[in-house]
Amino acid sequence: MSRVPGWIGRLGAGLSEMGERLNEKRRDEDADPDNGEPNDPSGGEQEHVPPPPAYAPEVAPRPDPVAAVPWGMRVAAEAGWRLLVLAGTLWVLMKVISAVQLVVLAFVAALLITALLQPTVARLRRLGLPRGLATAVTAILGFVIMGLVGWFVVWQVMENANELSGQVQDGIDDLRKWLLNSPFHVTEDQINDIATSLREAVGANTEELTSAGLEGVTVIVEALTGILLAMFSTLFLLYDGKRIWQWFLKLVPEQARPGIAGAGPRAWRTLTAYVRGTVIVAMIDAIFIGLGTYFLGVPMAVPLAVIIFLASFVPLVGAVVSGALAVVVALVTQGVFTAVMALAVVLAVQQIEGHILQPFILGRAVRVHPLAVILSVAAGGMVAGIGGAVVAVPLVAVTNTVVGYLRSYARETALKQRPRSREATPTDVSLTDPPPQQ
């Protein structure tokens, strides 16, 4: 019995030595024979993959789909969907504006009238008048003057309607005689056929003319409604314009509020400069063209001058149309020579306006390219008729001022937010940073 424990101890020592040898052998087998790195820690043998034969072509891995799209196409796609969103927003906005077109035009007209009358209110307040009294005096005087101008035009047209009708008839007779004796070889029968066709066209379209008259009544009602809206809006803008602007700023997101708050006064100065300059230029046009037609003996020279003044608020187009009207009246009433002289007067005044008056009076306050003026007037006329043509150019001028200020404000804000705790090193300059201003 005394030998049994010794035998068991030797057996255990032999088993321990055998286990250590097996562990060492296993560690030797797990080691990589090439680079000495261990194989799969799970103890299994790695599957040996033979290299491809030399004649087999190399298959490149498939690139990322985003990387496969050209950079220009990715930029175009990113810009494209944003433009689609903006176009959809603009379309919805135009639909809303067209639905309430009368209200929008009345409010824009009130803004233009306020820009014209607000300096007078400020001057009266500096003289010591209360804000309410200064607003009431300015608004009443402004509306009375506008009403007197409109009444004067209507009165002059009604006073000279009979005389003008007779002169037009004489002019038509003179034109008929000239056609008979002209080298065009127009006969009496052809002229009578043209007159008969005109009378038949008028008789056949009696219903259309009647419906047009009813539509004219509707237009008059809408015009009176728009005038009342513009008057009330002007009163409130003159009296409480600053608080209305402060209330509007509360609707703007807080991050964009400082930029909008700075752009508002600049936009208002641009609008005020545009309205003042346009009124002065239109008045000069009306005075000189009216004097020219008066000395040439053209009837209704004063109403024509007032029409020229009002039409000059539509840039480029209004001056051309009103000048053409004066030339036509001179042609029908006074003959070809007077019409040619009236045309010379109109062209001379418009050349002086375009090259001297507008650059000198408007100056740099309203910087809009002539092409932008023509396109904006055409677009405004297509969208909202005469009212759209009148407000198109000041809208473009104000938008240009606002966009320019917001761009400079964003640049200045970015420069202020740039860290200046240490001097920049060449490694701090990013490739996306704009080049330094020279």
Side-chain angles (χ1 to χ4, degrees), residues 193-203:
D193 291 340
I194 294 174
T196 303
S197 299
L198 290 175
R199 284 194 296 269
E200 291 178 354
V202 172

PDB file of all heavy atoms in Angstrom, residues 193-203:
ATOM      1  N   ASP A 193     -65.382 100.658 -99.540  1.00  0.00           N
ATOM      2  CA  ASP A 193     -65.445  99.262 -99.074  1.00  0.00           C
ATOM      3  C   ASP A 193     -64.817  99.111 -97.681  1.00  0.00           C
ATOM      4  O   ASP A 193     -65.337  98.379 -96.833  1.00  0.00           O
ATOM      5  CB  ASP A 193     -64.726  98.345-100.069  1.00  0.00           C
ATOM      6  CG  ASP A 193     -65.479  98.231-101.390  1.00  0.00           C
ATOM      7  OD1 ASP A 193     -66.696  98.525-101.402  1.00  0.00           O
ATOM      8  OD2 ASP A 193     -64.846  97.879-102.403  1.00  0.00           O
ATOM      9  N   ILE A 194     -63.729  99.814 -97.450  1.00  0.00           N
ATOM     10  CA  ILE A 194     -63.093  99.746 -96.124  1.00  0.00           C
ATOM     11  C   ILE A 194     -64.020 100.332 -95.066  1.00  0.00           C
ATOM     12  O   ILE A 194     -64.187  99.758 -93.973  1.00  0.00           O
ATOM     13  CB  ILE A 194     -61.746 100.490 -96.145  1.00  0.00           C
ATOM     14  CG1 ILE A 194     -60.750  99.761 -97.064  1.00  0.00           C
ATOM     15  CG2 ILE A 194     -61.174 100.623 -94.737  1.00  0.00           C
ATOM     16  CD1 ILE A 194     -59.454 100.510 -97.251  1.00  0.00           C
ATOM     17  N   ALA A 195     -64.657 101.470 -95.367  1.00  0.00           N
ATOM     18  CA  ALA A 195     -65.573 102.084 -94.395  1.00  0.00           C
ATOM     19  C   ALA A 195     -66.774 101.178 -94.127  1.00  0.00           C
ATOM     20  O   ALA A 195     -67.220 101.026 -92.983  1.00  0.00           O
ATOM     21  CB  ALA A 195     -66.035 103.448 -94.919  1.00  0.00           C
ATOM     22  N   THR A 196     -67.314 100.537 -95.206  1.00  0.00           N
ATOM     23  CA  THR A 196     -68.440  99.622 -95.028  1.00  0.00           C
ATOM     24  C   THR A 196     -68.051  98.419 -94.170  1.00  0.00           C
ATOM     25  O   THR A 196     -68.813  97.973 -93.304  1.00  0.00           O
ATOM     26  CB  THR A 196     -68.944  99.152 -96.401  1.00  0.00           C
ATOM     27  OG1 THR A 196     -69.298 100.295 -97.195  1.00  0.00           O
ATOM     28  CG2 THR A 196     -70.155  98.258 -96.238  1.00  0.00           C
ATOM     29  N   SER A 197     -66.863  97.895 -94.403  1.00  0.00           N
ATOM     30  CA  SER A 197     -66.396  96.749 -93.609  1.00  0.00           C
ATOM     31  C   SER A 197     -66.260  97.123 -92.135  1.00  0.00           C
ATOM     32  O   SER A 197     -66.614  96.331 -91.253  1.00  0.00           O
ATOM     33  CB  SER A 197     -65.054  96.252 -94.158  1.00  0.00           C
ATOM     34  OG  SER A 197     -65.188  95.832 -95.502  1.00  0.00           O
ATOM     35  N   LEU A 198     -65.789  98.332 -91.867  1.00  0.00           N
ATOM     36  CA  LEU A 198     -65.668  98.770 -90.478  1.00  0.00           C
ATOM     37  C   LEU A 198     -67.034  98.886 -89.812  1.00  0.00           C
ATOM     38  O   LEU A 198     -67.224  98.470 -88.668  1.00  0.00           O
ATOM     39  CB  LEU A 198     -64.927 100.106 -90.418  1.00  0.00           C
ATOM     40  CG  LEU A 198     -63.432 100.066 -90.748  1.00  0.00           C
ATOM     41  CD1 LEU A 198     -62.865 101.477 -90.761  1.00  0.00           C
ATOM     42  CD2 LEU A 198     -62.677  99.195 -89.749  1.00  0.00           C
ATOM     43  N   ARG A 199     -68.025  99.465 -90.551  1.00  0.00           N
ATOM     44  CA  ARG A 199     -69.364  99.588 -89.974  1.00  0.00           C
ATOM     45  C   ARG A 199     -69.985  98.219 -89.721  1.00  0.00           C
ATOM     46  O   ARG A 199     -70.609  97.991 -88.692  1.00  0.00           O
ATOM     47  CB  ARG A 199     -70.252 100.413 -90.905  1.00  0.00           C
ATOM     48  CG  ARG A 199     -69.985 101.909 -90.863  1.00  0.00           C
ATOM     49  CD  ARG A 199     -71.115 102.674 -91.536  1.00  0.00           C
ATOM     50  NE  ARG A 199     -71.203 102.344 -92.956  1.00  0.00           N
ATOM     51  CZ  ARG A 199     -70.568 103.018 -93.926  1.00  0.00           C
ATOM     52  NH1 ARG A 199     -69.811 104.070 -93.610  1.00  0.00           N
ATOM     53  NH2 ARG A 199     -70.694 102.667 -95.177  1.00  0.00           N
ATOM     54  N   GLU A 200     -69.820  97.290 -90.654  1.00  0.00           N
ATOM     55  CA  GLU A 200     -70.356  95.938 -90.451  1.00  0.00           C
ATOM     56  C   GLU A 200     -69.683  95.232 -89.286  1.00  0.00           C
ATOM     57  O   GLU A 200     -70.325  94.499 -88.531  1.00  0.00           O
ATOM     58  CB  GLU A 200     -70.176  95.114 -91.737  1.00  0.00           C
ATOM     59  CG  GLU A 200     -71.059  95.597 -92.881  1.00  0.00           C
ATOM     60  CD  GLU A 200     -70.813  94.801 -94.153  1.00  0.00           C
ATOM     61  OE1 GLU A 200     -69.878  93.961 -94.131  1.00  0.00           O
ATOM     62  OE2 GLU A 200     -71.543  95.004 -95.136  1.00  0.00           O
ATOM     63  N   ALA A 201     -68.370  95.442 -89.132  1.00  0.00           N
ATOM     64  CA  ALA A 201     -67.668  94.813 -88.006  1.00  0.00           C
ATOM     65  C   ALA A 201     -68.192  95.337 -86.685  1.00  0.00           C
ATOM     66  O   ALA A 201     -68.397  94.581 -85.736  1.00  0.00           O
ATOM     67  CB  ALA A 201     -66.164  95.061 -88.129  1.00  0.00           C
ATOM     68  N   VAL A 202     -68.452  96.646 -86.645  1.00  0.00           N
ATOM     69  CA  VAL A 202     -68.995  97.225 -85.410  1.00  0.00           C
ATOM     70  C   VAL A 202     -70.396  96.701 -85.141  1.00  0.00           C
ATOM     71  O   VAL A 202     -70.756  96.356 -84.009  1.00  0.00           O
ATOM     72  CB  VAL A 202     -68.976  98.762 -85.496  1.00  0.00           C
ATOM     73  CG1 VAL A 202     -69.710  99.372 -84.310  1.00  0.00           C
ATOM     74  CG2 VAL A 202     -67.546  99.269 -85.562  1.00  0.00           C
ATOM     75  N   GLY A 203     -71.234  96.597 -86.193  1.00  0.00           N
ATOM     76  CA  GLY A 203     -72.591  96.088 -85.998  1.00  0.00           C
ATOM     77  C   GLY A 203     -72.611  94.626 -85.609  1.00  0.00           C
ATOM     78  O   GLY A 203     -73.453  94.192 -84.816  1.00  0.00           O
TER      79      GLY A 203
END
